[in-house]
Structure formats: C-alpha cells, structure tokens
Amino acid sequence: MSRTISWFSCGAASAVATKLAIMSGEEITVAYCKIQEEHPDNERFLKDCEDWFGQEIVILQNEFYDGSIYRVFEKNYMRTPGGSPCTRALKKQVRQKYQQPNDRQVFGYTIEEQNRVDNFIDANNEVDIWPILIEKQLSKDDCLAIIKNAGIELPEMYKLGYRNNNCIGCVKGGKGYWNKIRVDFPDHFNRMANLEKKKGCTVLKDADSQPIYLHD
C-alpha cells in the first residue's frame, strides 16, 4: 500500500508543509529524523506541532551513530563540496530505510528553493515528491508567519536570529554563522574546533580554498 509521508524537521517550512498536507484530507504519516545536536527547544516545538497537526510524529534515528553528528564525523570526513556526511547518514539514510517504493513524500521546500527540488529529483528520481509549499507559492517568511499566527512559539534558533533551525554548529555554515555560534554556544563552537584539530581538517575555507581553523 502507498503512503504519504511528510518529513518534519522542526523547521517552520516543514511544519507548514505537514499541516497543509494534513489539511488536504489525505492520510499523512509525519516522520522526524532526530539528531542529538539540535537545540533542546526542538522537543517543545515538536510537541506543539503534534497538537497543531492533531496526530503524533514518528521519531526515527540512525542508531549506529546514535543520532549524533560527532559520531558521524569521528568515522568519516566532515564536509566536502558535494555535501556533508551527517546529512547523508542521519537524514537521507534514515529516510531511505523508512520509505517504501510507492510512498509519496512531502518536503518543506519553499518557493525560493525550486533549484533544490530540481536537484533532489535529479538525485532521487525514485521518489514521488510533493512540493506542497511551492504549489501554494509560499516563502520561508510566509511559513514563519503562519507558525506565529497559529499561536505556536518559534524554535529558539529562529528567535536567536538564525535563518534555519539546523544543528547547533552546522558544518555547512559560513564565517558569519560560526562567529555567531562562538558567542551564542561557546561549548558547541569549542567542540567542533577541537574536532577539527583532531582530524586535521576544517569546516571553513578561504577564497583560495585554503583551510581556516575555527580557533585561529
């Protein structure tokens, strides 16, 4: 039997995409790939969204890595131009293990992210994707406003000024992002900086692709 799965990430866009999918009248399975290094306030946001959705969220995790980006990095590289191993191991592989061939899958791609949808389809042409936010012409800011208007408190990372509700210390962040992490979450900053030195590689590079260590 086919299912419709909405992949909830504790971000505003995926929450709104999930709500719209449920409002369509289809039976929706809501699934979440849990990662240890996300902000602890995400647990509160998830519970608030369960109330908003009127149903429970299926919580999944890569048990081999205990859902931790650091467990992934200790056994792999940290980042390449093609992407990060944490996303692949903790989200993509978990999704692939859970999905079934006939599933229709909802992701929180907003109207600004049509290129991400195109890239996803190219790399995952076996997936029947439902880009519901793009169909509704909804932007990231629209989704943030919808969450607020629903009376749901936004996740803490948004309130701190981060554009996305990623892990605390995302290896895909740039210099400005890491400077802000250094101030807001010094323990997370130091943990990543120490791992860089241990592995001899960095999450940042300069204009000439030369490594920049966080502690330098």
Side-chain angles (χ1 to χ4, degrees):
M1 295 180 61
S2 62
R3 303 174 297 177
T4 299
I5 302 173
S6 187
W7 291 99
F8 175 77
S9 68
C10 278
S14 69
V16 173
T18 299
K19 181 65 174 179
L20 291 174
I22 292 170
M23 290 174 62
S24 74
E26 291 193 26
E27 182 176 345
I28 307 295
T29 298
V30 187
Y32 165 60
C33 300
K34 183 177 180 178
I35 300 177
Q36 285 192 28
E37 287 74 26
E38 291 181 354
H39 196 286
D41 184 56
N42 281 7
E43 184 175 347
R44 186 274 312 164
F45 183 68
L46 183 146
K47 295 296 184 184
D48 287 349
C49 286
E50 284 185 323
D51 292 340
W52 191 38
F53 300 155
Q55 66 183 75
E56 292 185 355
I57 296 170
V58 178
I59 298 178
L60 308 170
Q61 190 175 73
N62 186 317
E63 299 300 336
F64 179 78
Y65 293 111
D66 198 27
S68 171
I69 62 173
Y70 288 97
R71 290 285 297 274
V72 175
F73 297 151
E74 286 166 2
K75 297 178 181 296
N76 299 274
Y77 54 89
M78 296 171 69
R79 183 181 179 184
T80 71
S84 56
C86 46
T87 299
R88 186 183 69 248
L90 304 182
K91 292 193 173 183
K92 184 175 182 178
Q93 290 177 5
V94 173
R95 170 179 61 79
Q96 290 175 329
K97 183 177 179 180
Y98 186 75
Q99 72 185 22
Q100 297 174 6
N102 294 324
D103 287 341
R104 190 183 194 196
Q105 302 190 43
V106 178
F107 296 90
Y109 293 119
T110 58
I111 191 64
E112 306 96 331
E113 299 178 302
Q114 181 64 58
N115 64 318
R116 290 189 64 197
V117 174
D118 295 339
N119 291 338
F120 180 92
I121 292 171
D122 289 342
N124 306 272
N125 53 30
E126 79 284 0
V127 175
D128 179 9
I129 182 173
W130 183 8
I132 191 168
L133 297 178
I134 293 178
E135 288 181 2
K136 302 291 186 181
Q137 298 287 293
L138 292 175
S139 68
K140 178 70 173 289
D141 288 339
D142 291 331
C143 293
L144 291 168
I146 289 169
I147 296 295
K148 291 180 180 179
N149 290 337
I152 298 174
E153 183 181 352
L154 288 172
E156 187 66 21
M157 293 296 279
Y158 291 127
K159 292 190 291 181
L160 288 171
Y162 295 91
R163 184 64 177 165
N164 298 299
N165 189 21
N166 293 333
C167 298
I168 301 174
C170 177
V171 295
K172 292 180 283 188
K175 291 181 182 179
Y177 168 86
W178 277 103
N179 281 332
K180 184 169 173 56
I181 291 291
R182 184 201 298 264
V183 174
D184 294 338
F185 303 99
D187 289 347
H188 289 266
F189 180 92
N190 289 330
R191 185 176 183 184
M192 186 66 73
N194 290 335
L195 181 64
E196 283 187 335
K197 290 191 174 182
K198 177 182 176 181
K199 294 187 68 70
C201 57
T202 66
V203 298
L204 296 175
K205 296 186 184 301
D206 64 18
D208 296 320
S209 296
Q210 296 301 307
I212 302 174
Y213 283 89
L214 293 177
H215 268 161
D216 291 347

